[in-house]
């Protein structure tokens, strides 16, 4: 072998010499005499060792000195055992693919590293979450430790992937025994709201329904089992009943998911005593069922009310060993306090001390109150004024510091709504249609008022909502004249805002059927809703209330509300919406604002000079512009200040008490006077003093909120110009 190039050490020269002397020249080929040195990364490599075609091409331009030693971690030996071919490395069993490209290697190609790093880009976070979630579910099925599992899920983090855990938990239990199914249902109830946001639970079940076609390949009875899981979730209050209807809209008609939803509704939720049946569907799979726990809670609460022994009550709470179910203790204690007023004080004391001592955590306490808020309307059937009592309990708990009110749903004290029988509702619908049709012919609002009072002597909220729905439904099927008349009538009837809200909710819920005859139902409903806000039949916040009752992604309700808000945000929205159908409840165009101001001035002058208060109120109603009543307030106040005559103050009082002028319009009118005080003071020197006096009187009378501030008055006083 030729060592003339000088790249071999003296040690290797000696080894080569010894091998040459001991070899049989007849039996050994020259090729086999090549030295087999150790192939560590630091060992020398002959420049003539085999390389891939690509690397050979790159090396052809290197000088011998530069090519002396490679820093690459790849093995340069040819494959043995027949593996590979020309220009390849590695043996038959070599599986290590952990080689790293070295930028200092003379053979380094940056494009190779770029291609290698982009071979696959999985969502590593989600993949990692999936693996850990599977392990947690497997461990839970083995240990049956709800608390430990909840802690593990919390430590896992990534709440945005909660839906996957829900899907994985249910799908893994579907292929197992009843024990695991019951365990899955209990864990879901424990995780709901405490660990997973309700939206994640909702999304998890949505994904399950969508994947039914795949699940049924491995689980033949997937439709029945998943239907039972959804029914159980509805009974356990972790899925809203509206889930079924909303999901149905997103699925293909031939999808197995549709079969799941239909079976859930017809076979389970529609059955008599369905809650008890569903809760016991996997009975016997666990030693303690949900019903057993509820019974134990009920028993020890009753014993506590009689004995007053808190230590015994706390011992019972510990013995239950269901910390994820403590919200049920809160809920049942509150119901018992509402049913037995004499037990209210000891039960609230028990809950307070349980919260302070850590027997019931903050999350479970809030969850118990929230569950009761959700069912308070049903509770009102058995407990008169249940909503008002619950509101007082919430206020007391919050004031004592053991309840976080910000985590609860809003609960406004509302009057109880009268319920009506189906027969009465049907009869009222028939008569309502006749009343509305006659109104479209005559335009007589007073006659309509009289007829409604006769038919709805109890002023039932449900009947009011039916009238609103019928009025707008009939108007949408007619011309602009009838639409304008419907809006004017709605403004004149003075129904409670909640009844009007219920009417619009009913309209939106039936919009799919209405769309068959009226393709522009969304535009019409949005315009009626916007007009109701402009006419102050509804307040802007009522739009959000409507949204919570009939909103869904891509639903008609969502589109109606979105369009309504767009109409109201537009420039000069009040004028445009008022005149959208011609104005005035007839074929004539709407009033010009200057004409309205002139008419308001004349009716105030007429009343001030000795006119009747009823006539003045009638004239204001006939204007049909309730959103402009702040102008009445402004002109009445200015006239009172200028002439120091309080006759017009009496008119404002009558208008406010009768509901003709709303709190919002009253505040707006006072605000307009405050803005023009500087000009008014040029003619009436003590105008600011008088206005401040009337502001205080208005607050005392309840016309203005105490938060109403008179900034210009204060500013003037500070500068000594008062």
């Amino acid at each position: 072998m030729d060592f003339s190039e000088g790249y071999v050490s003296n040690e290797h020269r000696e080894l080569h010499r010894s091998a040459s002397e001991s070899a049989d020249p007849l039996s050994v080929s020259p090729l086999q005499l090549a030295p087999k040195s150790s192939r560590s990364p630091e060992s020398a490599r002959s420049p003539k060792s085999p390389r891939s075609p690509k690397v050979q091409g790159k090396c052809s331009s290197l000088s011998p000195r530069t090519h002396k030693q490679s820093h690459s971690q790849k093995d340069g030996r040819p494959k043995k055992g027949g593996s590979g071919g020309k220009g390849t490395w590695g043996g038959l069993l070599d599986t290590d693919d952990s080689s790293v490209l070295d930028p200092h290697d003379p053979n380094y190609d940056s494009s190779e590293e770029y291609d290698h790093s982009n071979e696959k880009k999985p969502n590593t976070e989600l993949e990692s979450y999936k693996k850990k979630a599977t392990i947690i579910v497997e461990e839970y099925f083995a240990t049956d430790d709800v608390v430990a599992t909840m802690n593990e899920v919390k430590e896992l983090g990534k709440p945005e992937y909660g839906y996957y855990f829900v899907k994985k938990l249910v799908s893994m239990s579907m292929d197992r025994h009843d024990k695991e199914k019951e365990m899955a249902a209990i864990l879901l109830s424990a995780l709901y709201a405490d660990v997973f946001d309700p939206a994640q639970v909702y999304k998890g079940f949505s994904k399950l329904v969508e994947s039914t076609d795949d699940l049924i390949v491995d689980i033949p009875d997937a439709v029945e089992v998943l239907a039972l899981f959804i029914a159980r979730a509805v009974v356990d209050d972790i899925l809203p009943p509206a889930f079924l209807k909303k999901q149905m809209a997103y699925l293909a008609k031939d999808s197995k998911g549709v079969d799941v939803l239909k079976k859930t509704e017809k076979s389970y939720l529609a059955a008599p005593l369905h809650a008890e049946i569903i809760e016991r569907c996997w009975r016997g799979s666990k030693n303690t069922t949900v019903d057993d726990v509820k019974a134990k809670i009920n028993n020890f609460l009753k014993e506590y009310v009689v004995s007053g022994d808190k230590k015994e009550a706390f011992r019972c709470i510990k013995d239950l060993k269901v910390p994820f179910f403590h919200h049920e203790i809160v809920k049942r204690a509150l119901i018992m306090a509402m049913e037995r007023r004499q037990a209210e004080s000891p039960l609230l004391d028990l809950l307070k001390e349980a919260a302070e001592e850590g027997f019931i955590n903050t999350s479970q306490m809030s969850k118990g109150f929230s569950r009761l808020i959700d069912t308070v309307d049903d509770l009102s059937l058995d407990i008169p004024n249940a909503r008002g009592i619950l509101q007082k309990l919430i206020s007391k708990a919050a004031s004592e510091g053991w309840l976080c009110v910000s985590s609860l749903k809003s609960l406004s004290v509302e009057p109880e709504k009268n319920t009506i029988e189906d027969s009465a509702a049907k009869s009222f619908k028939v008569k309502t249609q006749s009343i509305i049709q006659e109104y479209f012919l005559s335009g007589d609002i007073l006659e309509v008022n009289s007829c409604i009072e006769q038919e709805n002597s109890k002023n039932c909220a449900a009947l009011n909502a039916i009238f609103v729905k019928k009025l707008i439904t009939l108007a949408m099927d007619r011309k602009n004249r009838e639409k304008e008349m419907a809006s004017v009538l709605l403004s004149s009837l003075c129904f409670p805002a909640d009844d009007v809200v219920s009417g619009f909710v009913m309209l939106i819920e039936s919009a799919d059927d209405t769309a068959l005859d009226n393709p522009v139902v969304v535009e019409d409903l949005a315009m009626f809703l916007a007009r109701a806000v402009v006419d102050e039949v509804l307040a802007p916040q009522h739009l959000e209330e409507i949204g919570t009752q009939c909103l869904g992604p891509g639903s008609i309700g969502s589109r109606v509300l979105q369009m309504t808000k767009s109409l109201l945000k537009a420039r000069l929205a009040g004028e445009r919406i008022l005149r959208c159908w011609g104005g005035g409840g007839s074929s004539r165009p709407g009033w010009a604002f200057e004409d309205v101001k002139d008419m308001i001035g004349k009716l105030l002058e007429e009343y001030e000079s000795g006119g009747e208060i009823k006539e003045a109120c009638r004239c204001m109603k006939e204007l049909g512009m309730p959103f402009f009543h702040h102008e009445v307030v402004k002109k009445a106040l200015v006239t009172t200040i200028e002439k120091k005559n309080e006759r017009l103050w009496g008119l404002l009082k009558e208008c406010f008490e009768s509901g003709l002028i709303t709190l919002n319009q009253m505040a707006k009118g006072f605000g307009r006077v405050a803005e023009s005080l500087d000009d008014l003071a040029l003619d009436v020197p003590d105008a600011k003093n008088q206005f401040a006096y009337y502001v205080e009187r208005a607050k005392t009378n309840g016309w203005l909120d105490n938060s109403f501030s008179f900034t210009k008055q204060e500013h003037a006083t500070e500068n000594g110009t008062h």
Side-chain angles (χ1 to χ4, degrees), residues 487 490-492 494-497 500 528-540 542 568 578 624-630 659-669:
S487 289
L490 195 60
S491 176
S492 303
C494 297
F495 282 161
V500 180
F528 271 110
L529 200 50
R531 177 64 181 270
V533 174
V534 169
D535 286 345
E536 293 197 346
V537 175
L538 295 177
H542 285 122
L568 292 170
L578 180 72
M625 301 184 76
F627 70 95
F628 206 60
H629 283 172
H630 61 268
L660 189 59
I661 295 180
T662 64
L663 192 66
N664 183 42
Q665 288 294 311
M666 189 67 76
K668 198 171 180 180

Side-chain angles (χ1 to χ4, degrees), residues 174-176 181 215-216 218-227:
M174 287 172 65
D175 201 22
R176 303 195 180 208
K181 294 183 178 73
L215 289 171
I216 207 167
D218 300 316
I219 308 170
D221 59 344
V223 171
E224 184 173 348
V225 177
L226 185 53

Side-chain angles (χ1 to χ4, degrees), residues 437-453:
Q437 287 173 344
E438 286 182 15
Y439 166 68
F440 285 157
L441 293 173
S442 66
D444 192 341
I445 294 176
L446 295 177
E447 180 64 19
V448 176
N449 257 316
S450 176
C451 292
I452 291 177
E453 287 175 2

Side-chain angles (χ1 to χ4, degrees), residues 300 304 307-319 350 353 357 359:
F300 85 70
Y304 166 73
S307 66
D309 190 346
K310 289 181 184 175
K311 288 185 179 179
E312 178 63 19
F314 292 150
R315 186 192 65 77
C316 292
I317 293 175
K318 280 185 176 180
D319 288 347
L350 176 68
E353 193 165 330
E357 297 295 328
F359 288 101

Side-chain angles (χ1 to χ4, degrees), residues 518-531:
N518 182 7
V520 292
V521 63
V522 172
E523 291 80 357
D524 281 351
L525 282 177
M527 190 59 76
F528 271 110
L529 200 50
R531 177 64 181 270

Side-chain angles (χ1 to χ4, degrees), residues 358-388:
F359 288 101
I360 300 177
N361 63 38
T362 305
S363 175
Q364 289 291 310
M365 190 66 73
S366 298
K367 195 172 179 180
F369 274 89
S370 296
R371 291 288 175 92
L372 195 56
I373 290 172
D374 290 337
T375 59
V376 71
D377 289 328
D378 295 333
L379 204 59
S380 298
L381 301 175
D382 301 316
I383 305 173
N385 194 28
R387 187 179 288 272

Side-chain angles (χ1 to χ4, degrees), residues 191-324:
L191 294 172
Y192 179 81
D194 287 343
V195 180
F196 291 150
D197 187 76
Q200 289 294 318
V201 177
Y202 189 103
K203 185 177 179 181
F205 275 96
S206 298
K207 296 286 185 184
L208 281 164
V209 173
E210 291 170 5
S211 60
T212 308
D213 292 300
D214 297 328
L215 289 171
I216 207 167
V217 175
D218 300 316
I219 308 170
D221 59 344
V223 171
E224 184 173 348
V225 177
L226 185 53
L228 198 47
F229 261 109
I230 295 172
R232 176 65 179 268
V234 172
V235 169
D236 286 345
D237 292 332
I238 64 174
L239 266 188
F243 173 84
L244 304 177
K245 184 178 179 181
K246 291 180 179 178
Q247 284 300 121
M248 193 79 75
Y250 301 122
L251 298 172
K253 292 183 179 180
D254 58 345
S255 168
K256 290 293 181 183
V258 173
D259 297 339
V260 170
L261 297 175
K262 287 181 178 179
K263 189 169 189 64
T264 303
E265 184 173 11
K266 294 179 180 178
S267 300
Y268 297 119
L269 295 178
L273 302 174
H274 67 272
E276 290 80 0
I277 295 171
I278 292 168
E279 283 186 347
R280 298 178 184 180
C281 59
W282 297 306
R283 189 179 179 89
S285 55
K286 292 180 69 66
N287 295 329
T288 304
T289 65
V290 174
D291 278 346
D292 294 335
V293 175
K294 288 181 179 179
K296 289 179 181 178
I297 291 171
N298 232 25
N299 290 336
F300 85 70
L301 286 176
K302 287 178 181 177
E303 289 176 7
Y304 166 73
V305 170
V306 174
S307 66
D309 190 346
K310 289 181 184 175
K311 288 185 179 179
E312 178 63 19
F314 292 150
R315 186 192 65 77
C316 292
I317 293 175
K318 280 185 176 180
D319 288 347
L320 286 175
K321 296 181 181 179
V322 284
F324 60 89

